[in-house]
Amino acid sequence: MEWQRRLGITRREFVTSSAATLAAGAWSRQTHASEQLSPGTAEQLAGAGPLRVIIDTDPGVDDAFALLLAMRSPELKIEGITAVAGNVPLDLTLPNALRMVEIAGRTDIPVAAGAKGPLVRRLVTAAYAHGENGLGGAVFPEPKIKPVSAPAAEFIRATVRGHPGELTLITVGPLTNVATALKMDSELAGMIRSIVMMGGSLSGGNITPAAEFNVYVDPEAARIVFQSGIPVTMVGLDVTRKTSLTDEHVRVLESAQNAVSQAAAKIARHAIDHNRERGFLVGPNMHDSLAIAAFLNRSLLKWKEYYVDVETAGELTAGETLGYSPTAGDLRRRPEAEKQAAANMAIRGSAPTLATTKTSPVLRDEFVPNCNVAIDVDSARFFELLIGRLSGK
């Protein structure tokens, strides 16, 4: 396929190289946080000025809310928005991103067109959830502004290199653009401050029993990101399932007389009606907005450190995110025993078959966390932030 040719990688080469990349990654940057972390990066560093971010997105109802929230958050300096195929094809996600920039009055933010499909797979979309236009059927005028000429992966690479160590990637779609940028530039991972991701789940999927949609669409790209050594914050279905949009939220948005709240209310009303037509008792979940909120204020959520990897070979489980932890499970250990368990916990692949003499692959010979995973959320406080900023109240 075209992406394999451009990246120069095969499935076998990827599995081999990812373990080496992980071992050589910048693990020293990964902090050892407790389950309940202190307030988040943006809140802690507010006195240092706005924080540089790129938002990688596939709008998408909840992506649209996430973009509007980000653009209404003075803590952020949005260096760019990069569009990727996911919820709907790129020829819809890109203009949807441009529309949100225009609605928010933030045409100073560059928007770049990204991947039209996953690295090695055919694109699977979620038009069934987001409507054929990606915005739940809510119709807006064609955008007047145009994307920048640079492809998304090159835009990410150049922007990170322009601000080494300063830039966080907030990813709320499939990770194709980010993985492509990392493959283009072997030094790039060490220059990215962190990744805050809406994706994955440790409690089952939403497109298959195993997989969350963003990771399912491009599991190979997700695995590159998790194996990169970049500190990852994973805001997955474990918490986003607790963020259903309601009629009351829509009424608050409708009552505010500004362009952002009116656009958000229009999208929300169509999305809630679309859900009801499909038989759901609740409105859509604000998956992607929660990732933005997690970066703005980490204390909205509860966290736990895991080593997270992605299943790429399973016939029924491709895209599943697996969280390894020596402290997970029903049995508790003494603190000194927990440390010993971590030191002796191998991260293993599948058992060998009778037809081969190979042994089970050991991806890591001891537990080293690569990800802070959100495990609970204060939904009321989250919606106070989201609806409050979109409505201007």
Side-chain angles (χ1 to χ4, degrees), residues 128-343:
Y128 57 85
H130 295 267
E132 293 300 322
N133 72 347
L135 299 177
V139 177
F140 296 91
E142 287 297 314
K144 296 182 177 64
I145 60 173
K146 302 296 182 184
V148 297
S149 59
E154 175 55 30
F155 179 88
I156 292 170
R157 190 198 69 80
T159 307
V160 169
R161 280 195 165 273
H163 306 284
E166 298 180 25
L167 203 140
T168 292
L169 304 182
I170 303 179
T171 65
V172 293
L175 289 156
T176 317
N177 289 339
V178 178
T180 303
L182 293 173
K183 292 301 296 181
M184 287 169 56
D185 188 338
S186 62
E187 298 177 345
L188 196 66
M191 300 180 184
I192 296 171
R193 181 188 184 96
S194 64
I195 290 177
V196 177
M197 170 195 307
M198 189 284 123
S201 171
L202 301 185
S203 57
N206 61 349
I207 186 166
T208 71
E212 179 276 328
F213 177 80
N214 286 342
V215 179
Y216 172 86
V217 170
D218 199 342
E220 286 77 17
R223 195 165 198 229
I224 288 171
V225 171
F226 278 109
Q227 297 271 358
S228 68
I230 303 168
V232 174
T233 296
M234 183 177 116
V235 181
L237 298 180
D238 315 287
V239 287
T240 65
R241 284 184 170 122
K242 302 175 182 179
T243 61
S244 296
L245 200 63
T246 67
D247 289 308
E248 180 57 31
H249 296 140
V250 179
R251 284 191 286 270
V252 174
L253 292 170
E254 288 173 338
S255 69
Q257 298 302 312
N258 67 76
V260 166
S261 69
Q262 291 297 306
K266 183 177 180 179
I267 295 168
R269 174 54 59 206
H270 278 77
I272 288 175
D273 290 346
H274 182 65
N275 264 30
R276 285 178 177 153
E277 289 171 4
R278 297 168 62 216
F280 291 109
L281 298 174
V282 296
N285 292 319
M286 293 288 96
H287 304 284
D288 298 337
S289 303
L290 187 58
I292 301 291
F295 184 66
L296 293 171
N297 185 353
R298 218 172 169 91
S299 72
L300 295 174
L301 299 106
K302 187 177 180 181
W303 306 87
K304 185 176 177 62
E305 284 191 326
Y306 284 88
Y307 170 83
V308 176
D309 210 337
V310 181
E311 177 60 68
T312 59
E315 181 180 356
L316 302 177
T317 58
E320 181 178 13
T321 40
L322 302 165
Y324 296 81
S325 170
T327 63
D330 296 331
L331 298 179
R332 299 290 298 276
R333 292 187 175 95
R334 297 187 305 274
E336 64 273 14
E338 285 187 359
K339 293 181 181 179
Q340 184 178 5

Side-chain angles (χ1 to χ4, degrees), residues 1-10 13 118-120:
M1 288 186 177
E2 176 66 13
W3 280 111
Q4 287 174 298
R5 184 189 65 77
R6 288 181 60 189
L7 295 175
I9 187 169
T10 65
E13 288 169 344
L119 297 182
V120 299

